[in-house]
């Protein structure tokens, strides 16, 4: 496993990206405050993995393409792969993963995945480009999984708030049998855009929010002051912290895909929220992490 990292610096932030997984592994402001979870394995051993070519789990760890069965662990192989650095400037860095004999044995599509990081002031922009280098349509999912320290983490169990760009409520799905999605919808009330966070918020595990209900989510401290904001245009969003562990972080996850629904037995191309890409075409998406406190330091 390669441990090489690249550092980008603005007048407000410094970020670090690891070649292994092309994973963002640090966001530090000029006061020295770290915003990104530092991967303590007691809670969760990652910082901000890239989920590709699946998001979540496939039923029983297996999926079918053209009648042949393949195996894949949760969230796919990109997060555990060494990417090739494509170069960096003072404010931008790019990485690439291409299909190989190893990936083709697990996922029989040829692809090129490029991941870019751009740092501008208090904003980190993460860019994904998936190119179909095969001679047929390919199918894939891709997603983000950044984990952020709570701005307040005390012994009383209060963890601040999440702010959503919806005022009253949103609907979500939960993880059901076999780490698959239960399609029973649940409604989450909001108090003037806000959801109070405490040690029991994630007893349900993951909020799976479908249908492009949201484009912005902010993490606030106990005084309701903005800490950081995620901006995205993905059709799904996951919100997660390890259940019943009292972990000191929360994940805000733009997704282009999710786990299989309970009982799904079809072909990979028929999975819910799968993306189709014709030969030679490129899919591009991005999201932004904005450190709201950076300008006030």
């Amino acid at each position: 496993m390669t441990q090489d990292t690249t550092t980008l610096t603005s007048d407000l932030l410094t970020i670090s990206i690891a070649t292994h997984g092309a994973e963002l592994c640090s966001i530090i402001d000029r006061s020295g405050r770290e915003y990104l979870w530092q991967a303590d394995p007691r809670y969760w051993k990652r910082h901000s993995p890239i989920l590709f070519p699946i998001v979540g789990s496939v039923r029983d760890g297996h999926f079918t393409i053209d009648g042949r069965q393949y195996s894949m662990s949760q969230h796919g192989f990109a997060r555990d792969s060494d990417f090739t650095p494509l170069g960096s400037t003072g404010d931008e860095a790019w990485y690439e993963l291409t299909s190989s004999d190893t990936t083709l044995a697990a996922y029989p599509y040829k692809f090129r995945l490029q991941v870019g990081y751009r740092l501008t002031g208090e904003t980190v922009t993460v860019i994904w480009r998936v190119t179909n280098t095969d001679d047929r349509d390919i199918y894939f999912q891709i997603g983000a999984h950044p984990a952020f320290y709570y701005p307040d983490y005390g012994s009383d169990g209060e963890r601040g708030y999440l702010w959503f760009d919806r005022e009253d409520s949103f609907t979500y799905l939960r993880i059901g049998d076999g780490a698959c999605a239960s399609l029973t919808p649940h409604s989450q009330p909001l108090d003037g855009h806000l959801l109070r966070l405490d040690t029991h918020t994630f007893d349900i595990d993951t909020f799976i929010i479908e249908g492009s209900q949201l484009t912005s989510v902010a993490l606030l401290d106990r005084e309701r002051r903005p800490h950081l904001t995620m901006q995205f245009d993905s059709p799904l969003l996951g919100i997660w912290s390890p259940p019943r562990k009292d972990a000191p972080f929360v994940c805000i996850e733009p997704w282009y895909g999710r786990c299989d629904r309970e009982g799904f037995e079809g072909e990979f191309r028929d999975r819910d929220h799968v993306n189709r890409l014709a030969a030679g075409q490129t899919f591009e998406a991005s999201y932004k992490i904005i450190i709201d406190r950076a300008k006030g330091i």
Side-chain angles (χ1 to χ4, degrees), residues 150-208:
Y150 288 121
D152 297 305
Y153 183 73
S155 59
D156 63 356
E158 296 297 319
R159 301 290 176 257
Y161 297 85
L162 286 176
W163 176 95
F164 299 86
D165 60 343
R166 291 177 68 94
E167 185 173 1
D168 299 322
S169 66
F170 60 82
T171 59
Y172 68 95
L173 305 180
R174 295 180 180 177
I175 299 296
D177 292 340
C180 294
S182 168
L183 297 188
T184 301
H186 300 266
S187 179
Q188 176 60 57
L190 299 174
D191 181 9
H193 298 276
L194 296 177
L195 172 63
R196 186 176 66 86
L197 302 173
D198 60 31
T199 54
H200 296 291
T201 302
F202 295 98
D203 287 352
I204 66 163
D205 197 303
T206 307
F207 292 87
I208 302 173

Side-chain angles (χ1 to χ4, degrees), residues 24-279:
L24 184 65
C25 53
S26 179
I27 304 174
I28 298 177
D29 66 28
R30 59 188 177 183
S31 76
R33 181 168 190 160
E34 176 66 73
Y35 290 78
L36 201 64
W37 170 243
Q38 288 303 289
D40 182 340
R42 291 180 299 168
Y43 298 100
W44 190 53
K45 66 179 183 179
R46 303 180 190 270
H47 306 275
S48 180
I50 296 164
L51 318 182
F52 176 88
I54 61 172
V55 174
S57 299
V58 288
R59 184 170 180 255
D60 296 328
H62 303 289
F63 60 89
T64 302
I65 295 178
D66 297 332
R68 180 178 174 183
Q69 190 175 83
Y70 298 84
S71 299
M72 189 170 293
S73 60
Q74 186 182 45
H75 296 320
F77 51 70
R79 63 182 184 168
D80 294 316
S81 299
D82 285 332
F83 282 63
T84 300
L86 298 180
S88 63
T89 62
D91 61 359
E92 192 163 325
W94 282 87
Y95 301 83
E96 181 175 273
L97 178 68
T98 58
S99 52
S100 64
D101 289 345
T102 299
T103 69
L104 289 168
Y107 170 75
Y109 293 127
K110 296 178 182 179
F111 67 89
R112 179 169 62 249
L113 169 60
Q114 294 178 322
V115 181
Y117 294 91
R118 183 179 300 134
L119 177 59
T120 308
E122 74 278 17
T123 301
V124 182
T125 303
V126 184
I127 307 152
W128 303 314
R129 292 175 184 158
V130 181
T131 300
N132 180 354
T133 58
D134 215 317
D135 57 5
R136 55 176 176 162
D137 290 352
I138 70 171
Y139 299 85
F140 69 95
Q141 297 174 326
I142 192 166
H145 204 321
F148 303 107
Y149 283 107
Y150 288 121
D152 297 305
Y153 183 73
S155 59
D156 63 356
E158 296 297 319
R159 301 290 176 257
Y161 297 85
L162 286 176
W163 176 95
F164 299 86
D165 60 343
R166 291 177 68 94
E167 185 173 1
D168 299 322
S169 66
F170 60 82
T171 59
Y172 68 95
L173 305 180
R174 295 180 180 177
I175 299 296
D177 292 340
C180 294
S182 168
L183 297 188
T184 301
H186 300 266
S187 179
Q188 176 60 57
L190 299 174
D191 181 9
H193 298 276
L194 296 177
L195 172 63
R196 186 176 66 86
L197 302 173
D198 60 31
T199 54
H200 296 291
T201 302
F202 295 98
D203 287 352
I204 66 163
D205 197 303
T206 307
F207 292 87
I208 302 173
I209 305 168
E210 298 185 321
S212 301
Q213 296 180 62
L214 302 164
T215 60
S216 183
V217 176
L219 180 59
L220 282 57
D221 67 16
R222 299 186 197 204
E223 303 303 319
R224 306 188 182 191
R225 294 173 298 197
H227 183 65
L228 62 85
T229 300
M230 290 279 288
Q231 293 182 350
F232 46 87
D233 60 5
S234 58
L236 299 99
L237 184 75
I239 305 176
W240 173 81
S241 190
R244 293 170 291 280
K245 284 189 176 182
D246 194 18
F249 66 88
V250 61
C251 296
I252 306 170
E253 311 172 38
W255 291 344
Y256 291 79
R258 64 150 165 77
C259 56
D260 280 342
R261 64 182 181 270
E262 289 179 323
F264 178 73
E265 296 181 346
E267 284 265 337
F268 190 88
R269 64 176 176 265
D270 298 321
R271 299 181 70 223
D272 297 340
H273 304 290
V274 76
N275 304 283
R276 180 180 66 85
L277 196 58

Side-chain angles (χ1 to χ4, degrees), residues 5-19:
T5 60
T6 298
T7 298
L8 305 178
T9 301
S10 73
D11 57 339
L12 297 173
L13 300 176
T14 298
I15 69 171
S16 297
I17 308 108
T19 301

